[in-house]
Amino acid sequence: TAGITQAPTSQILAAGRSMTLRCTQDMRHNAMYWYRQDLGLGLRLIHYSNTAGTTGKGEVPDGYSVSRANTDDFPLTLASAVPSQTSVYFCASSEQGGGHNEQFFGPGTRLTVL
Amino acid sequence: GNSVTQMEGPVTLSEEAFLTINCTYTATGYPSLFWYVQYPGEGLQLLLKATKADDKGSNKGFEATYRKETTSFHLEKGSVQVSDSAVYFCALIDYGQNFVFGPGTRLSVLP
C-alpha cells in the first residue's frame, strides 16, 4: 500500500498567493494531522481531524485552513501565503485520534514563500 | 502543558561507537513515549515506543526505557552504523491529547 502521499513534493510560491497542499491516505485511518517542521523547533501541529467531517486547531493554526470531506483526504490551504510559512509540511494519520496511537507520516512538502 | 526536551545536536560519532540521545518530558498525565527517525529527504518513521513506566521499547538495535521517576526516555544503541545517520525525534502523547515532539537531534556517523 502507498500509505500516505503528499503533493506537491516542493513548491515555490509568491507572497500573497494561495496554495493547497494535498494529502491522501489509504489506510482508512480516522485521524489525520498537518505539521510544519522548522529547524530547531521540531514538528508543530497546525490542524488535525479526528474523523471525517470534523477538524480542530493545533499549536500554530493561523494562516492555514483544512477540510475533511472524506476519510482519505485532508488538504491544507494557505489563503494568502507569507514568507514565515516557508517550511516543510508533513501530513500524518493514525487509526484513532488521541489515545496512544502511533502516527504515520507522509514524505513531506517543501514550501518556499518569496 | 506537555513538552519534550532533547539534547542539542548535532551528534557526530564514529562507526561502532555507543550512542545515547537524551530525552526528558513534562506531561500532566501518563503519556506514551516514542522515538521517531527521519532519514534525509524522507518523512518520520516510528523507531520504537513505550506505553507505561518501566517499559522498554526496542527496534533495529536501538533501545529506550520509560523512566517515570526521572521523566526520561533516553535512546541508546550499542554500536552505530553509517546508515543510522538521521534526525531522531522524541515525542509523547497524553491520552486524549495530540502528539508533542522534541526539536530533534541530528546524528552523523562517520566510517
Side-chain angles (χ1 to χ4, degrees), chain A residues 46-83:
Chain A
I46 304 171
H47 284 288
Y48 66 93
S49 168
N50 284 332
T51 189
T54 69
T55 63
K57 293 182 179 180
E59 180 185 355
V60 288
D62 294 343
Y64 306 94
S65 63
V66 291
S67 61
R68 188 86 184 279
N70 57 61
T71 297
D72 298 344
D73 301 302
F74 192 43
L76 176 74
T77 297
L78 289 68
S80 179
V82 294

Side-chain angles (χ1 to χ4, degrees), chain A residues 25-106:
Chain A
Q25 54 104 358
D26 64 1
M27 297 176 283
R28 307 303 295 172
H29 284 174
N30 283 310
M32 297 185 74
Y33 313 83
W34 274 106
Y35 293 90
R36 57 177 291 172
Q37 182 182 26
D38 302 291
L39 191 64
L41 297 176
L43 278 78
R44 293 181 291 170
L45 183 65
I46 304 171
H47 284 288
Y48 66 93
S49 168
N50 284 332
T51 189
T54 69
T55 63
K57 293 182 179 180
E59 180 185 355
V60 288
D62 294 343
Y64 306 94
S65 63
V66 291
S67 61
R68 188 86 184 279
N70 57 61
T71 297
D72 298 344
D73 301 302
F74 192 43
L76 176 74
T77 297
L78 289 68
S80 179
V82 294
S84 62
Q85 291 178 309
T86 294
S87 188
V88 181
Y89 291 85
F90 288 99
C91 181
S93 72
S94 62
E95 283 192 33
Q96 303 292 337
H100 296 264
N101 296 285
E102 171 190 352
Q103 292 190 4
F104 297 81
F105 285 81

